[in-house]
Amino acid sequence: MQVWEREEVQEVLWRREVKGQSGELSVPRRIPWLTTALALACAGVIVALALMMRARSRDARVAAKTKHAAEMVLLGNYGRAITDYDEALADRPGNVALLEVRATLKYAAGDLAGAQADCEAAIAGGSRGAWATRGAVKAMRGDLDGALADYAEAIKLNPADGAAWACRADALRLKGDFASALPAYDRAIELDPKPPRAWRGRSEVRFRTGNHEGAKTDAGEAISRNGTDPEAWFLRASATRALGDAKGALADCRKALEVAPRDWVKREDVEKWVESLEAEVGE
C-alpha cells in the first residue's frame, strides 16, 4: 500500500513598486532607500523559496519511503516496510495516514503492542481508519468486547466499510453469537463481495446453525476468490459430507491438505478424516 502526503505549493511572486517624490527626496537620498527595499524584498523571496524547496525535498523523501515500503510488503518483508514508515514519520511526525499504515504493518508482523500504540496515536490525531485495526488487535488479544466496541465506532464513522462489518461479524462469531454474526456477514458481502473473508465466515455460521446447503455455497464462493485457503476447502468438505456426499467431501479434504502449510493446525485431523472417507467410498 502506497501512502504519502502531497502539499500544493504555489510560488509567490513578490512585486513592489517604489515611487519616489523628487520634490521631497533628492537622488542621493532615494537610492539608499530603494536599495534597502529591494534587499528586503529579495530576502523574503529567498526565504520563501528555501522553505518551498525544503518542503518539496521532505515530500519526495516520504514518497520514496512509502513507495519502497509497498514493494517490501509485496515481498512479505514487513520489517523493512515498517522501517520505511519509521523514516517517513521522522519527516512527518504524527502524520495520521502514515500512522494508520504503520499500525497495519505492525499488526501483520505480529507486533500487537506497537500496532495498538500507533492506532491510539492516529485516533488521537483524528483518524477515521485506525478504529478497525485497533479492534483487530484487541480481538487477537482475546478482548472481543473491546474489539466489538472499536468495530462499532469504525462502522459509525464509515457505514459503508465492508471490511469493518466483516471484522465485526468475525468477533460475533467467535463469541458464539451466530444470530448477530449472520446479518453482519450479510452486510459485509453486500458492501464488498470481493474479499473471501466474509464468505468463509458466513459459511461457518451457516454450517453451525444447520444450513449446510448455504454453508457449501458460501465456502465455494470463498474458494473461487482464494483457492489456497485450506479452511475454505475444509468448510466445504464439512458441508458436503453433511449433505451426504462422502466422495465430494473426500475431494475437498484432499485439496485442503494440498494447499495447506505443513503446520496447519487441522492437518492431522483432516488426514485421519481422509482415511475414514476413503474407507467409506471404497478407495
Side-chain angles (χ1 to χ4, degrees):
M1 177 177 185
Q2 183 175 338
V3 176
W4 63 85
E5 282 200 353
R6 294 179 179 176
E7 294 181 354
E8 295 183 358
V9 181
Q10 296 182 341
E11 293 187 10
V12 177
L13 301 178
W14 186 291
R15 296 182 58 192
R16 181 185 293 260
E17 183 178 357
V18 180
K19 293 182 179 179
Q21 297 181 8
S22 57
E24 297 178 1
L25 293 176
S26 65
V27 172
R29 289 178 63 191
R30 287 206 314 271
I31 291 176
W33 181 87
L34 179 61
T35 302
T36 301
L38 289 173
L40 290 172
C42 289
V45 171
I46 290 170
V47 170
L49 287 173
L51 290 174
M52 182 180 67
M53 293 304 294
R54 182 178 178 182
R56 286 180 175 175
S57 176
R58 180 185 60 187
D59 290 347
R61 287 196 303 270
V62 171
K65 288 298 177 184
T66 55
K67 180 177 184 295
H68 185 257
E71 294 168 355
M72 293 299 99
V73 169
L74 291 175
L75 296 174
N77 190 346
Y78 294 110
R80 179 61 249 192
I82 290 168
T83 299
D84 285 332
Y85 270 86
D86 291 343
E87 295 172 3
L89 278 159
D91 273 321
R92 288 199 171 279
N95 181 273
V96 168
L98 295 175
L99 285 167
E100 288 175 351
V101 178
R102 191 173 70 175
T104 303
L105 291 171
K106 287 181 177 179
Y107 172 77
D111 179 6
L112 299 183
Q116 184 158 346
D118 278 352
C119 285
E120 289 169 358
I123 289 168
S127 168
R128 296 168 63 88
W131 290 95
T133 304
R134 192 175 74 170
V137 171
K138 290 180 178 180
M140 283 291 290
R141 289 177 157 176
D143 179 10
L144 294 177
D145 290 330
L148 285 167
D150 281 351
Y151 295 144
E153 187 64 26
I155 291 168
K156 177 182 175 182
L157 290 169
N158 182 10
D161 185 353
W165 280 100
C167 289
R168 176 173 172 77
D170 282 346
L172 289 166
R173 173 177 55 80
L174 291 171
K175 280 177 68 70
D177 186 356
F178 301 138
S180 299
L182 189 57
Y185 280 125
D186 291 343
R187 184 61 174 154
I189 291 170
E190 177 186 354
L191 289 168
D192 188 2
K194 293 179 181 178
R197 176 181 184 173
W199 293 100
R200 189 182 73 181
R202 194 173 71 174
S203 174
E204 182 174 343
V205 169
R206 284 180 163 177
F207 181 80
R208 289 176 177 271
T209 54
N211 182 359
H212 299 138
E213 192 64 56
K216 180 181 178 181
T217 298
D218 282 350
E221 292 288 349
I223 290 167
S224 71
R225 289 160 172 79
N226 179 13
T228 63
D229 179 7
E231 294 291 341
W233 287 102
F234 173 75
L235 278 168
R236 195 170 75 171
S238 300
T240 299
R241 182 65 189 89
L243 291 168
D245 182 2
K247 191 171 184 178
L250 176 60
D252 282 348
C253 281
R254 286 172 172 166
K255 189 64 178 180
L257 292 172
E258 177 186 325
V259 300
R262 294 304 306 171
D263 59 351
W264 184 37
V265 67
K266 290 187 175 74
R267 176 171 289 280
E268 185 176 348
D269 289 337
V270 174
E271 286 174 343
K272 291 179 180 178
W273 193 20
V274 165
E275 292 177 2
S276 175
L277 288 169
E278 285 175 342
E280 184 176 347
V281 300
E283 290 189 12

